[in-house]
Structures are given as C-alpha cells and as structure tokens.
Amino acid sequence: DAKTTQPTSMDCAEGRAANLPCNHSTISGNEYVYWYRQIHSQGPQYIIHGLKNNETNEMASLIITEDRKSSTLILPHATLRDTAVYYCIVSSAGGTSYGKLTFGQGTILTVHP
Amino acid sequence: GAGVSQSPSNKVTEKGKDVELRCDPISGHTALYWYRQSLGQGLEFLIYFQGNSAPDKSGLPSDRFSAERTGGSVSTLTIQRTQQEDSAVYLCASSLPRDRPPGGKPGGYTFGSGTRLTVV
C-alpha cells in the first residue's frame, strides 16, 4: 500500500473549518484514500473515504486532487469534541492486500475555544 | 448488536499467564481484523480473517499469539505466557468484504472499544 505523509499536529479554533492535508504521491489506481480518527482512549472511528471524486458525508468532506497525489479532509465547523488523532490511509479494495489498513502516526488536531 | 463488541474491556494478568480476548463483530461483516496499540504508539496490525479463507497471520509478533474465528463470527485472540511487552490495547474491527458490492465502493472498518491488557 502507498505511504502517506501528514503533519504531526494542527490547531483549529472552535467553529472554524479544520483542513487536514495528506500527501500520498505513490498512490496507485485502485487505492482508496481513507480517513479515520481516534479520540483519546477510544477505538478508531471511520470518517470518510474516496477514490478520485470528492466525497461528503455528515461528518466531513474529502477533497482529492486531480492527480490523486494528495487530499484534504475538511471538518466544516470544528468542535472541541473533534480533538483527536486523524489518520490518512491509502488501501486497495481487494486483491492480495484485501484492503488491510496500515495506520501511520496521523495528525493530532487540537480544537481550542 | 449495533457495533463491534470486545470483552473484557480491561484485563490485568501476571507475567507468564495465558489470556483470551474476545471480539463480536457486526452481524454480516465477514472481514475481521485484530490490531494492537501500545501506549503512545500507532496501531499495529496483527491478523485478518475473511470468510472461509486462510487468515493472514503476518502481523502476529510471536508464536505465543494465536487467533481463531468460529463460525465466521466471534473471534478469540489468545496470548500464551504473557510478557510485560504484551501490555497494550487490543482492538478488533470488522467490515464487509472488500469487494462487496462487486465493483462498488468498499466500506470502512468499524472498531470496537478495545481490551486494555496490562501484564504485571
């Protein structure tokens, strides 16, 4: 699976949009971009994923560049409860990797009042 | 149930003892994964089950670790002769098969809350 690069940490003011970047320059054609987050002392929580089109759900939006080498997770109105470690992962849907997710160190997002 | 259930939530054991950790996946999720997370560290893949296929055990750190999945549902992770370095949160996740629906968009994992194992 392709490797991802994320900033170690980011800050965001409550009520503002949080934009979390991720680089995945070696992504291959059948690999999806997944985002998970982990709030302290809890298991990771799925947020969103996409292949090449931008995606939106009730939690967030995912913007994938046209060349697919990078993406941005957008939390439109961050709250204090969004403080967590955010993981960007690329993984294929099937084949020999069967979609195994390899978690890196992620981005520590701190939302402050 | 509605989510992935793991038990016990906390386990303290003496060094050298065996432990069993249980995972109940979401009904209908045929894929099941075990990860562990040591304090302040990222998630480490341990093992993967998919339907009747042979499990991928490539992440198991030693032969003291084993896992079973009975009837395609409940899974048990067993650690024999526990060591202090086994102390971690053990997380289970389940998902639909990666290629379902065929040609469709695969889903994400749903994780349980984990079992915090402390070996003293």
Side-chain angles (χ1 to χ4, degrees), chain A residues 34 36 38 49 93 98 101, chain B residues 35 37 56 98 105-106 109:
Chain A
Y34 288 84
Y36 285 76
Q38 188 171 26
H49 73 289
Y98 56 74
L101 300 181
Chain B
Y35 285 79
Q37 188 170 32
D56 177 352
R98 306 314 287 165
K105 184 180 175 185
Y109 292 13

Side-chain angles (χ1 to χ4, degrees), chain A residues 32 34 36 38 41-46 49-51 55 87 91-94 96 98-105, chain B residues 33 35 37 40-43 45 48 56 58 91 97-99 103-114 116:
Chain A
Y32 285 75
Y34 288 84
Y36 285 76
Q38 188 171 26
S41 299
Q42 297 182 20
Q45 177 189 24
Y46 165 80
H49 73 289
L51 184 62
E55 301 284 347
Y87 297 98
S91 180
S92 65
T96 57
Y98 56 74
K100 181 174 75 175
L101 300 181
T102 301
F103 288 77
Q105 295 304 307
Chain B
Y33 313 78
Y35 285 79
Q37 188 170 32
Q41 301 297 310
L43 279 80
F45 167 77
Y48 161 78
D56 177 352
S58 61
L91 292 155
R98 306 314 287 165
D99 60 350
K105 184 180 175 185
Y109 292 13
T110 301
F111 279 84
S113 298
R116 181 176 298 279

Side-chain angles (χ1 to χ4, degrees), chain A residues 8-9 19-20 22 45 53 58 61 74 91 94 96-97 103 106 111 113:
Chain A
T8 303
S9 63
N19 298 289
L20 291 90
C22 180
Q45 177 189 24
N53 297 324
E58 65 278 6
S61 295
I74 301 172
S91 180
T96 57
S97 74
F103 288 77
V111 181

Side-chain angles (χ1 to χ4, degrees), chain A:
Chain A
D1 292 334
K3 180 180 170 61
T4 63
T5 304
Q6 299 177 252
T8 303
S9 63
M10 293 183 65
D11 287 341
C12 178
E14 189 177 19
R16 304 299 291 268
N19 298 289
L20 291 90
C22 180
N23 287 323
H24 31 78
S25 58
T26 60
I27 193 169
S28 59
N30 68 343
E31 288 184 313
Y32 285 75
V33 180
Y34 288 84
W35 283 85
Y36 285 76
R37 73 179 183 184
Q38 188 171 26
I39 297 170
H40 183 62
S41 299
Q42 297 182 20
Q45 177 189 24
Y46 165 80
I47 301 173
I48 199 168
H49 73 289
L51 184 62
K52 49 186 172 183
N53 297 324
N54 297 338
E55 301 284 347
T56 296
N57 63 21
E58 65 278 6
M59 290 183 68
S61 295
L62 173 61
I63 308 298
I64 302 174
T65 58
E66 192 170 342
D67 63 8
R68 304 211 318 126
K69 292 185 177 182
S70 65
S71 61
T72 301
L73 178 74
I74 301 172
L75 307 178
H77 305 287
T79 71
L80 299 179
R81 289 176 294 181
D82 292 323
T83 294
V85 180
Y86 286 77
Y87 297 98
C88 169
I89 303 161
V90 295
S91 180
S92 65
T96 57
S97 74
Y98 56 74
K100 181 174 75 175
L101 300 181
T102 301
F103 288 77
Q105 295 304 307
T107 295
I108 301 170
L109 174 68
T110 303
V111 181
H112 51 85

Side-chain angles (χ1 to χ4, degrees), chain B residues 69-118:
Chain B
R69 189 176 185 195
T70 54
S73 182
V74 171
S75 177
T76 303
L77 177 69
T78 301
I79 309 173
Q80 296 177 310
R81 305 181 302 281
T82 52
Q83 303 294 313
Q84 288 185 327
E85 61 263 28
D86 299 334
S87 295
V89 176
Y90 288 80
L91 292 155
C92 175
S94 70
S95 76
L96 291 170
R98 306 314 287 165
D99 60 350
R100 296 292 185 271
K105 184 180 175 185
Y109 292 13
T110 301
F111 279 84
S113 298
T115 294
R116 181 176 298 279
L117 175 67
T118 305

